Amino acid sequence: MSDLRDLLIRGSEKVIGHYRLLLASAKTEAERQLYRSRIEREQRLLDELHGGFPDQSAAYGLGHVQAA
């Protein structure tokens, strides 16, 4: 079961990374909001996989991209 959990964690991290790239190149505020909401949703799923503890580096990464 741990292998499946690890696979899901890696997948969620990749999805978040892709959305961050899309967020960084978004042209409109509507696009930025869409990608932010998807990142937040995926981050919540990732937090659940990690046992409910928020990953502070991921939260920093989201804030870092938003400011860009």
Side-chain angles (χ1 to χ4, degrees):
M1 187 66 165
S2 178
D3 290 339
L4 177 59
R5 185 174 160 270
D6 292 343
L7 177 68
L8 292 171
I9 288 171
R10 285 192 306 275
S12 286
E13 290 169 343
K14 282 183 114 176
V15 167
I16 290 170
H18 287 294
Y19 280 133
R20 286 184 179 150
L21 290 173
L22 290 169
L23 176 61
S25 64
K27 304 279 188 248
T28 66
E29 184 57 35
E31 279 183 292
R32 285 187 285 276
Q33 185 56 42
L34 174 68
Y35 297 137
R36 283 184 198 119
S37 69
R38 290 183 179 181
I39 290 168
E40 290 168 5
R41 181 186 64 200
E42 195 66 34
Q43 185 62 52
R44 283 190 300 272
L45 295 171
L46 184 57
D47 291 345
E48 287 180 26
L49 288 169
H50 279 297
F53 297 107
D55 180 37
Q56 291 180 353
S57 64
Y60 168 77
L62 176 61
H64 179 69
V65 172
Q66 287 176 347

